[in-house]
Amino acid sequence: MTLQSAVQAAFAPEGTLARSLPGFRSRPGQTEMALAVARTIEDGGVLVVEAGTGVGKTLAYVVPALLGGEKVLFSTATKALQEQLFLRDIPRLLKAFGFPVRLALLKGRSSYLCTQRLQGARQTTQNLGPADLRLLARVEDWALSTVLGDIAEVPELDERSPIIPLVTSTRDNCLGSGCPQIRNCHTQLARQEAMKADIVVVNHHLFFADLGVRASGVAELLPSVTTVVFDEAHQLNDIGVHFFARQWSTGQMLSLGRDLAEQTQGPARGLVDWLGLQADAIEAAQALKNLFESAGPQPMRPWLDATPEGLPSAPWQAAVAQCERVLVAASAAVRAVDELGPTFTALAERCDTRLQNLQLFAAAPPEGQVRWLEVGAQVQLSQSPLTIAEPMRALARPDAAPGTQPKSWIFTSATLGTDAQLRWFVDACGLEGAQVLRVASPFDYATQAAVYVPREFPRPQDATHSAAVAALAAQGASALGGRTMVLTTTTRAMRAIADALRQQFVAAGLDTEVLVQGQAPKRELVDRFVGASARPSHTPAIAVPQGDGCVLVATASFWEGIDIAGDALQLLVIDKLPFAPPDDPLVQARASAQVAGGGNAFKNLHLPQAAIALKQGAGRLIRSETDRGILVVCDVRLTQMGYGKKLLDGLPPMRRLLGGEDWLEALSNLAEARQPPV
């Protein structure tokens, strides 16, 4: 039996999936995608699949990969989906088919306990409070019994905890093969398990970090893999560009200085003026920061020549030269005592790497690279390629020798482009010539959802815009008993809308809770939001139930990866069109490249980017065949500008609400549909 025949049988109405998975229903779009994946696994090559919400793309790529019987690497954009694949989706399919397959989860080194650093963690606790000290003790207890060493096993460890950098390693401070604890290295053990496994689950960050520095274990893993599948592939270019970037910062100088100063307690104490080296590093970093003292924080400062924009050349060159001298002196001092152990070898290599990266920024950026500088708590210099096209072409090339690269590459997401060939994604990732498939969502959007663009509304740049968004969201949330999420394009708008919502609910005598991104971990916020909709109302839910429920106001990462099915989310409000910031140097450089090549930057870059982001955000609303809801986009450009129709056409085919009366009627219908029978 061919792989395609086996896949067809598995997805049939009476097939293995229908018999083994509760709630499974054979869907034509899902089967179509699964067969395309099977063909690519059999024949080799590159497949790009845009699968609309509800297609069930996870089954559509995992099942053919399992039935193919070869070694497979799955990569996701988020750790949440990575763990979902590893802990839930793949195991239940292995059980359904009865396959004795070895499965491994591979994360970056910062996700694993470093036993070497844990031993010295108690020496660096001067700035920790009592709560963090108790948490460190909890980690020390856990370290005695853990097998995997995955710090996710300690639920009390928030990803922002200051304990994590004390007990995990980075590429800078890892001692490598010279580490005294190499036999107990959880990172190495995880890589060894991945080499033995039939299926390995990683994330895009780890994949690209390894391609950039050859240090995560993926590089040695790839030649043994037959098929690579990227889910959430729309994030590949941005993630990849970040990891192919070269960076240097004053924060790195200060961190290096602290690690040098720590040697006053080690075997080289008294042999080098370690505190003096730290003082020199602090002075050099501060001298560079002083150049920007009057400018204030700047997210990104363009940098087209040898000197950042707006800075005189002489002071800049002098400050950079001072940093170079400190790094040269530190490297020489450390190498003078490196026979004392691997710690000093690693420190010397770190000094040299910092020096090489800093010297990169002494000349103007090369063609095809964009450079920028960020000023905040530290000064960070960055340089990156415009896209990941070149390295991805080298990876997914069809002429690779057998056994040197995977033969099949599958890329999938709910949103990959605005045209039939998905050029926005394909071109940026260097996948020209790939087979392209678009599978529509099975949801009946015309029945399940409506979209409302208020015509009489402040323009996005008006000072009253955020207040108007809050008023509209409050009106909807009051009618629905909460069940409302507001997505914003900036942190500033998020805070303004949240504050205005609280004021309006208080003025109306409602106790609707307003949750804001950042006040708690993402998962906790979503759980609280969903839980609020389950509480009973103070009064029967008629047009305006009093109190109860909540509104979640968020930005950035909440535009995607949030899956809230059922009636917990019935109103999704987007404050304005998600165009990329025009002052972002990477955006500017990509636009300039479009113009230089004879293209139209707005049409080929800005508009597709906004359309994809808008579609991702809108995708939070309808997550199952029974969901009902309203999408509100508070941006009059959708109806007043010529490009608005293209953006609206890119959304799922929801019915349009044409005015205020339609809006109120739709709210009322949603509220009434939830009423229990009398």
Side-chain angles (χ1 to χ4, degrees):
M1 179 183 289
T2 66
L3 178 57
Q4 292 181 62
S5 299
V7 168
Q8 183 78 60
F11 282 89
E14 304 299 327
T16 302
L17 296 174
R19 294 194 306 269
S20 306
L21 302 184
F24 174 84
R25 295 204 318 273
S26 181
R27 298 172 179 173
Q30 186 180 55
T31 304
E32 180 186 10
M33 177 179 170
L35 289 172
V37 171
R39 281 194 299 272
T40 305
I41 292 175
E42 284 185 314
D43 301 337
V46 180
L47 172 67
V48 177
V49 186
E50 182 181 79
T53 305
V55 166
K57 56 185 169 60
T58 302
L59 288 184
Y61 65 71
V62 173
V63 171
L66 293 180
L67 293 174
E70 302 288 346
K71 186 156 187 168
V72 182
L73 181 72
F74 293 116
S75 182
T76 70
T78 59
K79 286 185 179 179
L81 181 55
Q82 185 186 10
E83 291 180 349
Q84 176 184 312
L85 278 173
F86 178 75
L87 297 173
R88 190 190 74 183
D89 295 339
I90 297 176
R92 68 173 182 157
L93 289 172
L94 291 176
K95 182 179 179 181
F97 288 98
F99 289 156
V101 171
R102 295 190 65 166
L103 177 63
L105 179 70
L106 186 59
K107 299 181 180 180
R109 69 171 76 243
S110 63
S111 294
Y112 297 102
L113 172 72
C114 174
T115 51
Q116 173 69 11
R117 287 184 60 77
L118 179 65
Q119 289 181 355
R122 283 286 170 185
Q123 300 173 15
T124 56
T125 58
Q126 301 93 329
N127 299 321
L128 296 181
D132 288 327
L133 288 173
R134 287 193 296 271
L135 188 53
L136 177 57
R138 166 75 177 91
V139 172
E140 289 170 334
D141 288 341
W142 162 75
L144 298 174
S145 60
T146 182
V147 175
L148 299 178
D150 187 340
I151 60 174
E153 295 175 355
V154 186
E156 302 94 327
L157 265 184
D158 182 88
E159 61 185 12
R160 296 164 293 183
S161 171
I163 299 299
I164 290 181
L166 297 181
V167 300
T168 62
S169 68
T170 65
R171 187 165 60 95
D172 282 336
N173 57 37
C174 176
L175 302 183
S177 59
C179 179
Q181 294 291 328
I182 188 66
R183 293 178 179 272
N184 302 315
C185 177
H186 292 291
T187 301
Q188 289 295 332
L189 292 172
R191 294 175 185 173
Q192 292 167 14
E193 286 301 309
M195 290 299 295
K196 300 173 190 174
D198 303 297
I199 298 174
V200 184
V201 185
V202 302
N203 58 63
H204 303 344
H205 294 80
L206 177 64
F207 185 90
F208 283 114
D210 182 71
L211 292 183
V213 302
R214 303 285 168 183
S216 75
V218 173
E220 61 179 336
L221 183 65
L222 270 182
S224 68
V225 169
T226 302
T227 299
V228 180
V229 181
F230 292 97
D231 199 347
E232 301 175 312
H234 63 283
Q235 293 195 32
L236 269 179
N237 189 45
D238 286 342
I239 291 174
V241 161
H242 170 76
F243 279 100
F244 287 122
R246 299 282 294 276
Q247 295 177 330
W248 186 94
S249 72
T250 55
Q252 292 173 347
M253 283 287 284
L254 297 176
S255 174
L256 177 63
R258 286 192 296 271
D259 289 348
L260 290 169
E262 285 182 9
Q263 305 317 310
T264 58
Q265 305 298 318
R269 59 184 178 276
L271 300 180
V272 173
D273 182 8
W274 299 112
L275 294 179
L277 288 174
Q278 182 190 32
D280 291 343
I282 292 172
E283 182 181 349
Q286 190 59 50
L288 195 62
K289 284 192 67 176
N290 288 343
L291 297 178
F292 305 93
E293 191 172 26
S294 61
Q298 290 184 308
M300 286 187 173
R301 178 191 289 256
W303 187 352
L304 304 177
D305 301 311
T307 303
E309 186 177 287
L311 279 183
S313 177
W316 168 257
Q317 295 297 338
V320 170
Q322 183 178 356
C323 292
E324 289 179 344
R325 288 193 298 271
V326 171
L327 291 169
V328 169
S331 177
V334 175
R335 289 198 181 281
V337 296
D338 64 1
E339 73 278 0
L340 294 177
T343 297
F344 300 97
T345 303
L347 266 176
E349 292 174 352
R350 185 171 162 194
C351 292
D352 294 344
T353 300
R354 294 287 177 261
L355 179 61
Q356 292 167 9
N357 284 347
L358 180 59
Q359 291 172 337
L360 171 76
F361 295 95
E367 186 177 353
Q369 299 275 317
V370 58
R371 182 179 293 175
W372 67 92
L373 180 147
E374 298 173 68
V375 180
Q378 60 177 317
V379 177
Q380 178 165 298
L381 323 181
S382 301
Q383 178 177 300
S384 79
L386 299 182
T387 70
I388 61 170
E390 186 175 340
M392 287 304 294
R393 283 192 194 101
L395 272 180
R397 64 187 190 275
D399 59 340
T404 62
Q405 299 286 11
K407 74 168 186 175
S408 306
W409 297 78
I410 291 105
F411 303 82
T412 186
S413 174
T415 51
L416 289 176
T418 57
D419 64 295
Q421 296 305 310
L422 305 177
R423 294 289 302 276
W424 174 84
F425 174 79
V426 168
D427 291 354
C429 292
L431 302 177
E432 298 88 351
Q435 179 189 351
V436 173
L437 174 66
R438 303 183 82 183
V439 183
S441 169
F443 296 157
D444 183 0
Y445 281 101
T447 300
Q448 294 179 245
V451 58
Y452 177 46
V453 183
R455 295 180 180 273
E456 302 297 327
F457 209 81
R459 295 184 66 82
Q461 66 269 29
D462 290 353
T464 60
H465 183 262
S466 290
V469 173
L472 194 64
Q475 183 184 37
S478 299
L480 298 172
R483 297 178 167 83
T484 299
M485 181 159 68
V486 182
L487 293 177
T488 71
T489 55
T490 65
T491 302
R492 182 179 179 181
M494 176 185 74
R495 291 170 179 158
I497 291 169
D499 289 343
L501 278 168
R502 291 189 184 101
Q503 294 171 12
Q504 294 193 40
F505 289 137
V506 169
L510 300 175
D511 61 359
T512 306
E513 183 179 15
V514 178
L515 300 174
V516 185
Q517 180 179 348
Q519 73 182 66
K522 185 175 181 179
R523 184 178 300 176
E524 180 181 331
L525 287 177
V526 172
D527 289 345
R528 287 170 61 182
F529 177 75
V530 172
S533 68
R535 297 200 301 259
S537 299
H538 291 315
T539 60
I542 51 176
V544 184
Q546 297 296 307
D548 291 333
C550 73
V551 178
L552 174 58
V553 188
T555 186
S557 61
F558 278 74
W559 280 71
E560 54 186 275
I562 300 297
D563 191 357
I564 304 174
D567 64 5
L569 174 59
Q570 292 194 306
L571 176 61
L572 178 65
V573 179
I574 293 177
D575 73 331
K576 56 187 174 183
L577 296 176
F579 284 109
D583 57 349
D584 183 326
L586 192 56
V587 174
Q588 290 177 345
R590 287 171 174 167
S592 297
Q594 278 283 337
V595 173
N600 183 307
F602 183 77
K603 178 182 177 182
N604 298 333
L605 179 68
H606 300 299
L607 199 58
Q609 181 85 37
I612 288 164
L614 182 63
K615 189 174 180 180
Q616 277 286 341
R620 301 314 98 209
L621 183 62
I622 302 298
R623 307 299 299 176
S624 75
E625 286 87 347
T626 58
D627 285 3
R628 299 289 185 274
I630 303 171
L631 168 68
V632 180
V633 185
C634 300
D635 195 325
V636 294
R637 290 176 293 181
L638 275 174
T639 55
Q640 295 179 359
M641 304 299 292
Y643 59 77
K645 184 178 185 302
K646 186 176 182 65
L647 291 173
L648 281 172
D649 289 345
L651 291 173
M654 308 174 183
R655 68 186 186 279
R656 290 284 304 276
L657 304 178
L658 300 178
E661 291 185 2
D662 287 353
W663 154 247
L664 293 175
E665 182 181 358
L667 282 176
S668 178
N669 290 340
L670 270 181
E672 290 175 1
R674 276 202 328 274
Q675 299 313 301
V678 179

